[in-house]
Amino acid sequence: MTEASYLREKLERISPTESVERVVVQHFAVPLLQALGFDDSEIREEFETGCGQVDLAARKNGDPEDIFLRSPKNPYLLLEAKSRVVNLKEGSCYRDAVCQIESYLLAKNCKSAKWGIITNANNIQLWRKHGKVVHPATANLDISSNNIEGIVRNLRDKIENYERALTICVYNNKGGVGKTTTVINLAAALATKRKKVLVVDFDSQGDLTRSLGVTPGKITLTQCLKDPKIDVHSVVQTYRLKTVRQGKQSIVSIFDIIPRDPELETLTDSQAVAYIQKGTRRLRDLIAPLRNEYDYILIDCPTQWLYFSQSGVFAADVILIPTRPDDLSSLSNAVRVITKFIPETARSRQDGGPIALPIFFNGVSSGSEYTIQLANEEIDKLINQEKSVDLRPYFWPHFKKGNEDKSIFRIPDYAVISSASFARRPAVFRDRRVLEYYQSLAREYFIDE
C-alpha cells in the first residue's frame, strides 16, 4: 500500500463532524507528511517556533547525528491543523489560520522553513516562504477520498521542486505614484544585497527601458510573446554600469532586464489579445523558465487595467503597491487593486495567487506630517467603507489590537530620484541616502536579514 493510499484510508475513518483537533493531527496530518516523503524521525509534534507552537514540523535528516526528531531545529515545513468543524474554506477562521501559519513561518526558530500547510482534513492549502514574504503556493483546496492522492502529488511536486525566484509586480491603478522608479531602484538595491534580479519592462511606453538606456536586441520581447518557440533567454540583457575605483575604470553587471521594444509600443490592447496566444497568461508562461535563475523578478506595467497591466499582475506572486500621501486617488485606487483586480486575477489563475503586499508612500516630502495625518484619516474612511475585506493589514501592517501603530513605509521625495534617468542609471547609485532608503524598502518587504 502506498503512503497516499494509506492516507486516503485514514481520511475516510475520520468523522466529517470530528471536533477534536488532535484526531486530525494524528490520523490525517502525520500520514500526510509521510505521504509527502518524511519518515517518522523527520517529523516533530508541537514544535516551538518562537511565536507559539505549531502542530507539526518536518525536515529531512542530515548525517546520523542530525535527526530532526531528536534535534528539533532548522525545520523545512510547518503544518497547522484544525478540527473538521473549523471552517477553513472562508471567513474569520480561515483568515486567522493564515495569519497563524504566516507568523510561525516568520518566527525566529523557523528561518530555514520554506513551506507551510494549513488543513482541517476538509480543506488544505500550501504556503511558500521567500525571505519575508509568505504567499499561497496552491489554492485553498477541498479534500475528498477521491482527490487526496492527486493533492498529495501536487503538493509533493511543488515542495520538491522549489522555485528560486519571487516574482513581484509593482502596480497601482493610478499614475504618478512612481511605479517605474520603484522597479528600477528596488532592483538595484536588491542587487547590492547580492541578489540576482531580473527586471521585465511590460509597459508599452517603455519608460524603464529608456531610463536605463537599454536597446532591444535582434530578438524582441514582442516576437517572444507571439512565438512560443523562441527561447526567452534570447531577449534577456544585462544592465551594466561604468565604475571607477582607485583610478581604474571597470564595467559592473547590476541586474538583467527584458526590455520593451518599439513594436510593443505600437501594439494596442485589442491587438495583443488577438495576436498573443493565451492572452494575459502568456507573460507568466514566458518567464517560467527563468524562475530558477533569479532571486527576484520585478515587473513594470502600465496604469490602466488592460492587457499589459493584467498580464503583469497575472504573472506575479505578489503585488507591491506604491501610493502617495498627498494623492487621495492613489489610496482609493489601491483599494480597487486589493479588492477587485487581484481577486479577479486569483480566480482566473486558480492557484491561490497573487496576493497584495501592504502599500507604501512614495515621494514623501519633508515636513509632510500633516499630510500623512490627512492620508491616515482617509485610509480610516476607506477601511470602514469596505465591508468585504479587512483592509487594515494592507495599509497598516504593524497595526495590532491594543497597539494602534498606523505607520506606513515611506520613500522620500529627493530630486535625484526623478532626475537619475537623465544619467541612465538608478538613483541608488547617485545618492547614498537614496540607496539606504531602497535597501530599507527591500528589508521591509522582502529580505530577511
Side-chain angles (χ1 to χ4, degrees), residues 12-24:
E12 290 172 344
R13 293 177 184 174
I14 304 176
S15 167
T17 58
E18 179 58 66
S19 61
V20 180
E21 181 180 303
R22 186 71 179 166
V23 172
V24 173

Side-chain angles (χ1 to χ4, degrees), residues 301-314:
C301 59
T303 299
Q304 284 188 301
W305 186 242
L306 295 170
Y307 172 81
F308 293 101
S309 55
Q310 290 170 12
S311 297
V313 171
F314 192 96

